[in-house]
C-alpha cells in the first residue's frame, strides 16, 4: 500500500504560508483593537441625545407599562422606523435600572465600536498574508456626522453593525463551502427589514446571491426557511396591529415621492465641506491597486462577487436617498451607503512602500477634517436652513455646549420653546383640560410659552361628538420627543408633521419645506382631534373652523382610518386591518380643505371613543396600564 503523505515541497509551502499569515493576523487584531478604541473615544467625545432619539424611548416606556409597541396608549401607531432598535432598548431595560436615555447611549456607542471592529477584521480576511492599514475606516470615522451618529439615541449604531456583520458573513461565505455560514447569512439578511426598511435592499440582494449560488432545491428551501420567518412574521403583525405595510414614518415622509434636485443638494451638503470626492478618489485608486495586485476569479461564490454586491447595494442606496430628497439632518441618510461601499477598502494591504502613500494621504485628510469639523453651521443660524447639523442645532436650542451635551429628556427643558411646559402640564391636571398649545408670547425677542385649552362640555356640543370627551389631555408639537419624554403616559402627545399622527401623515406635502417636515396639520384640525371646547379656543387657532373640522372627523374616510388604530384589537379587526393595509392603507390621502368634506354623511359610531380608561390621573406622573 502506498502511504499518502505530503511531499516535502508541500510541507514547505504550508509552513511558509503560516509564517506569512500568522503575523498578518496579529497585526489585523491589533488594528481591530486600535480602531475600536478610537471609535469609542471619539464617539464619547461627541455623545448626545437627539429629539428623534427620545421618540423611540416613548415607545419603550409604553412597552414597559404594558401598553404595547405604541407611542400613545390607546392608539396603535408605529412612530419608529427601526423595529429592532426599540426592542433592543426594551430588552436591556428589563435587565437594568438605568435611565432609558443612558441605555440607548451605551447601546448605540457599543454597537458602533463593534461595527468598526468587525469591519476591520472582515476586510483584513480578504488580505491574509499581507499587512494592512486603515483607509476606508479613516474616511468614515473622520466625518463629523458619522461620529455624531455613533450615539444620538437613534438606530445608526445598530444599522452599521448589521452592515458590518453582513460583510463579515459574506467574506466568510465566499471562502468556505460549508452550509452553516450560508444559513446564518440568510437569517441575518432577513433581519435587514427590521433594522431599517431601506436595508432590505442589502438583505434582498444577499438572499438572491445565496439562492443563485446554491445547487439544489432543498438547499434553496432551507435558505428561505432561515431568512423569511422573522421578517414575514413581523410584517403580518404590522399589517394586523397597525394597519400598514411599512412603518408609519414612511407614510409621514411620503418616501415614494421623487425629489432629485433636493437629493443632489443633500449629497453636495455632505461631500463639499470635507472635499469628500477627492479623498474617495484616493480610496478607489487604492482599491483598484489591491485588486490588480491580487487578481481573483469571478464566480457567484467568490470574494470578487461579494465586493461587487456591497458596492452595488451602496450605489443603489445613494440613488434612492437622492430620489426621496435626502433628509434634513446633515449627512445622516448617506452614512449607511457610505459605510457599506467602504467595506471592501476598510483596510488595504501594504506590500511595498509605495502602497503606503494612499493610507498616509487619507490619514492626513482625516486629521484635517477631525480638527476642523464642520464650522460652517456654527457660523449660521441653523433654524433657517433646510439641512442642519442636528447635534449643533440641539446644542444651541437647549443652551448646552459640546462639553456639556444634552443626554437625558430633562436636558431639553432648557429649550426656549419648552418654557413653562411642566407648569402647564401641572395646570392641565388641576383643571379640566382638553389640550396644551405652544404660543409666542413676545415676537421681539421670541419668547415662547404654553397654554391650556379648556375641556369640552357635553351640553355645548353636538350629540355625536360627546364621545370625544374620552380623549385624554393632548399635546401637539413638532418636536414630539422632548414633549413626550417630559410628560406622563396618560398624556397624549402628537405632532403636526405626522410621525405619530395619522391624519397629519396622510395630508398634503408643502412645496419647498424641509424634507421630513413638509407636512403640517393646521391648528384647527389639531383642536378638532382633541377634547377641547370649541367655544373657548384661542383666537389665533381659527376657532371658527374647528366645528367643521370636527364634523369631518366623523366622515367615512376618517372613521375608517381611526378604526385601524383605535378600535379594539379583536381577531376581526386584525384581519380587517390586514385588508386595509393592502388597499386604502397604501393610497388614502386626506385633504385639509374643509370644503372637501362639507355635505358628507356623518357616522356616529364609536371609533372616536378612547379605547382605554385611565385610573386616578390626578397626578401627572401616574403611569397606568391597560384595564383588565
Amino acid at each position: 500500500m502506498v502511504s499518502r503523505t505530503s511531499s516535502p515541497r508541500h510541507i514547505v509551502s504550508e509552513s511558509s504560508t503560516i509564517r506569512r499569515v500568522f503575523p498578518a493576523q496579529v497585526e489585523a487584531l491589533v488594528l481591530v483593537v486600535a480602531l475600536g478604541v478610537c471609535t469609542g473615544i471619539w464617539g464619547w467625545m461627541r455623545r448626545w441625545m437627539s429629539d428623534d432619539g427620545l421618540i423611540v424611548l416613548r415607545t419603550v416606556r409604553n412597552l414597559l407599562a404594558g401598553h404595547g409597541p405604541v407611542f400613545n396608549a390607546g392608539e396603535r401607531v408605529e412612530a419608529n422606523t427601526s423595529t429592532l432598535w426599540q426592542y433592543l432598548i426594551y430588552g436591556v431595560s428589563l435587565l437594568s435600572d438605568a435611565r432609558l436615555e443612558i441605555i440607548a447611549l451605551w447601546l448605540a456607542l457599543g454597537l458602533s465600536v463593534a461595527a468598526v471592529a468587525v469591519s476591520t477584521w472582515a476586510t483584513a480576511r480578504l488580505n491574509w498574508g499581507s499587512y494592512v492599514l486603515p483607509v476606508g475606516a479613516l474616511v468614515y470615522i473622520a466625518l463629523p456626522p458619522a461620529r455624531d451618529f455613533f450615539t444620538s439615541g437613534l438606530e445608526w449604531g445598530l444599522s452599521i453593525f448589521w452592515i458590518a456583520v453582513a460583510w463579515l458573513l459574506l467574506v466568510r461565505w465566499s471562502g468556505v463551502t460549508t452550509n452553516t455560514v450560508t444559513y446564518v447569512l440568510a437569517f441575518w439578511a432577513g433581519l435587514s427589514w427590521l433594522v431599517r426598511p431601506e436595508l432590505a435592499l442589502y438583505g434582498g440582494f444577499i438572499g438572491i446571491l445565496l439562492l443563485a449560488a446554491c445547487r439544489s432545491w432543498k438547499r434553496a428551501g432551507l435558505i428561505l426557511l432561515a431568512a423569511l420567518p422573522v421578517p414575514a412574521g413581523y410584517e403580518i403583525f404590522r399589517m394586523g396591529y397597525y394597519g400598514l405595510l411599512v412603518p408609519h414614518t414612511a407614510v409621514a415622509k411620503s418616501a415614494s415621492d421623487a425629489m432629485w434636485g433636493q437629493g443632489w443638494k443633500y449629497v453636495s451638503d455632505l461631500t463639499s465641506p470635507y472635499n469628500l470626492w477627492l479623498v474617495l478618489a484616493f480610496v478607489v485608486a487604492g482599491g483598484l491597486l489591491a485588486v490588480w495586485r491580487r487578481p481573483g476569479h469571478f464566480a457567484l461564490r467568490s470574494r470578487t462577487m461579494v465586493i461587487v454586491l456591497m458596492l452595488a447595494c451602496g450605489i443603489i442606496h445613494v440613488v434612492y436617498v437622492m430620489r426621496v430628497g435626502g433628509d434634513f439632518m446633515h449627512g445622516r441618510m448617506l452614512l449607511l451607503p457610505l459605510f457599506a461601499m467602504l467595506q471592501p477598502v476598510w483596510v488595504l494591504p501594504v506590500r511595498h512602500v509605495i502602497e503606503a502613500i494612499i493610507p498616509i494621504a487619507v490619514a492626513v485628510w482625516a486629521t484635517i477634517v477631525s480638527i476642523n469639523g464642520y464650522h460652517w453651521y456654527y457660523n449660521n443660524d441653523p433654524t433657517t436652513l433646510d439641512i442642519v447639523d442636528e447635534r449643533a442645532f440641539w446644542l444651541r436650542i437647549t443652551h448646552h455646549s459640546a462639553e456639556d451635551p444634552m443626554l437625558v429628556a430633562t436636558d431639553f427643558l432648557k429649550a426656549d420653546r419648552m418654557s413653562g411646559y411642566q407648569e402647564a402640564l401641572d395646570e392641565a391636571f388641576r383643571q379640566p383640560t382638553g389640550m396644551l398649545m405652544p404660543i409666542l408670547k413676545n415676537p421681539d425677542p421670541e419668547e415662547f410659552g404654553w397654554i391650556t385649552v379648556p375641556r369640552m362640555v357635553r351640553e355645548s356640543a353636538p350629540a355625536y361628538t360627546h364621545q370625544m370627551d374620552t380623549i385624554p389631555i393632548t399635546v401637539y408639537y413638532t418636536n414630539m420627543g422632548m414633549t413626550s419624554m417630559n410628560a406622563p403616559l396618560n398624556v397624549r402627545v402628537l405632532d403636526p408633521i405626522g410621525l405619530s399622527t395619522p391624519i397629519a401623515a396622510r395630508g398634503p406635502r408643502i412645496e419647498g419645506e424641509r424634507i421630513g417636515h413638509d407636512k403640517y396639520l393646521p391648528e384647527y384640525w389639531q383642536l378638532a382631534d382633541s377634547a377641547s371646547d370649541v367655544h373657548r379656543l384661542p383666537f389665533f387657532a381659527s376657532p371658527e373652523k374647528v366645528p367643521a373640522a370636527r364634523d369631518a372627523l366623523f366622515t367615512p374616510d376618517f372613521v375608517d382610518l381611526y378604526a385601524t388604530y383605535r378600535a379594539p384589537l379583536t381577531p376581526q379587526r386584525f384581519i380587517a386591518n390586514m385588508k386595509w393595509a393592502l388597499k386604502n392603507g397604501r393610497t388614502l390621502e386626506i385633504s385639509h380643505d374643509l370644503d372637501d368634506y362639507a355635505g358628507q354623511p356623518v357616522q356616529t359610531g364609536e371609533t372616536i371613543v378612547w379605547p382605554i380608561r385611565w385610573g386616578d390621573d390626578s397626578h401627572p406622573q401616574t403611569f397606568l396600564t391597560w384595564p383588565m
Side-chain angles (χ1 to χ4, degrees), residues 12-294:
V12 171
S13 177
E14 285 187 347
S15 177
S16 61
T17 300
I18 292 173
R19 285 199 300 271
R20 290 197 312 271
V21 171
F22 181 72
Q25 289 178 328
V26 173
E27 187 261 352
L29 185 59
V30 171
L31 199 57
V32 165
V33 174
L35 289 175
V37 169
C38 289
T39 300
I41 293 174
W42 291 334
W44 176 256
M45 291 173 62
R46 296 184 69 87
R47 67 195 182 280
W48 67 300
M49 173 61 68
S50 67
D51 180 76
D52 284 23
L54 295 178
I55 294 174
V56 179
L57 302 185
R58 170 77 173 198
T59 301
V60 177
R61 284 174 62 194
N62 275 301
L63 280 166
L64 291 170
H67 301 150
V70 298
F71 190 77
N72 289 303
E75 293 183 318
R76 297 184 299 274
V77 177
E78 189 177 19
N80 304 313
T81 302
S82 175
T83 300
L84 283 182
W85 180 234
Q86 68 185 27
Y87 283 111
L88 188 59
I89 298 173
Y90 170 65
V92 175
S93 66
L94 294 176
L95 306 174
S96 171
D97 293 331
R99 292 187 63 138
L100 293 178
E101 299 96 321
I102 303 305
I103 291 174
L105 185 151
W106 283 109
L107 271 178
L109 185 57
L111 287 168
S112 298
V113 170
V116 171
V118 169
S119 295
T120 305
W121 184 255
T123 308
R125 287 183 62 92
L126 291 174
N127 303 282
W128 280 156
S130 300
Y131 293 104
V132 294
L133 288 177
V135 176
L138 293 179
V139 172
Y140 188 82
I141 296 173
L143 291 172
R147 297 186 187 189
D148 288 351
F149 289 99
F150 284 152
T151 54
S152 83
L154 294 173
E155 67 275 7
W156 256 246
L158 175 62
S159 298
I160 62 174
F161 177 74
W162 182 90
I163 293 173
V165 173
W167 171 241
L168 175 64
L169 292 172
L170 280 167
V171 171
R172 176 68 175 165
W173 173 81
S174 67
V176 300
T177 57
T178 58
N179 292 328
T180 302
V181 69
T182 300
Y183 303 136
V184 173
L185 179 55
F187 173 78
W188 193 255
L191 293 181
S192 60
W193 174 248
L194 304 181
V195 177
R196 276 192 67 86
E198 63 264 39
L199 290 183
L201 165 69
Y202 300 79
F205 271 90
I206 291 172
I208 292 171
L209 178 60
L210 294 181
L211 292 173
C214 71
R215 299 180 179 179
S216 68
W217 289 106
K218 178 181 178 181
R219 188 170 298 177
L222 292 174
I223 289 172
L224 294 174
L225 187 61
L228 295 181
V230 173
Y234 186 80
E235 188 60 21
I236 292 172
F237 168 79
R238 172 181 280 151
M239 293 169 64
Y241 190 80
Y242 299 111
L244 290 174
L245 289 171
V246 295
H248 187 258
T249 52
V251 179
K253 296 182 179 182
S254 298
S256 61
D257 292 351
M259 302 183 68
W260 292 103
Q262 180 65 24
W264 176 249
K265 179 180 178 181
Y266 187 70
V267 171
S268 299
D269 183 78
L270 175 64
T271 56
S272 297
Y274 314 113
N275 294 312
L276 190 56
W277 290 121
L278 178 62
V279 75
L280 287 179
F282 274 94
V283 173
V284 170
L288 292 175
L289 180 61
V291 171
W292 177 76
R293 295 282 297 179
R294 177 175 287 184

Side-chain angles (χ1 to χ4, degrees), residues 376-527:
W376 188 78
Y377 274 123
Y378 286 94
N379 298 324
N380 289 272
D381 182 1
T383 62
T384 65
L385 302 171
D386 57 355
I387 303 173
V388 300
D389 181 336
E390 188 75 354
R391 182 174 180 271
F393 173 87
W394 282 108
L395 285 174
R396 181 170 180 167
I397 293 299
T398 60
H399 305 287
H400 281 78
S401 65
E403 294 73 27
D404 178 32
M406 53 280 158
L407 297 179
V408 297
T410 51
D411 290 338
F412 287 76
L413 292 174
K414 297 180 181 179
D416 294 338
R417 299 196 180 194
M418 292 294 283
S419 175
Y421 179 70
Q422 289 185 309
E423 292 78 5
L425 275 177
D426 291 339
E427 176 67 21
F429 279 94
R430 285 194 296 267
Q431 303 293 335
T433 299
M435 186 169 165
L436 266 67
M437 295 187 69
I439 62 168
L440 182 62
K441 294 180 179 178
N442 185 358
D444 187 24
E446 288 190 350
E447 182 183 350
F448 290 85
W450 291 79
I451 61 172
T452 59
V453 179
R455 200 168 188 85
M456 66 186 304
V457 179
R458 284 195 172 219
E459 289 74 14
S460 63
Y464 61 86
T465 63
H466 286 172
Q467 56 185 296
M468 298 191 73
D469 67 1
T470 60
I471 296 178
I473 297 170
T474 299
V475 177
Y476 263 98
Y477 194 61
T478 300
N479 303 116
M480 64 184 192
M482 63 183 182
T483 51
S484 66
M485 282 299 287
N486 284 295
L489 293 182
N490 53 353
V491 171
R492 177 185 180 227
V493 180
L494 298 176
D495 69 301
I497 62 176
L499 295 180
S500 65
T501 316
I503 63 173
R506 295 180 179 275
R509 298 184 76 167
I510 304 173
E511 189 71 26
E513 288 296 317
R514 295 169 63 190
I515 298 297
H517 289 72
D518 53 1
K519 294 181 179 180
Y520 187 81
L521 189 69
E523 282 81 1
Y524 53 90
W525 280 103
Q526 299 173 26
L527 288 160

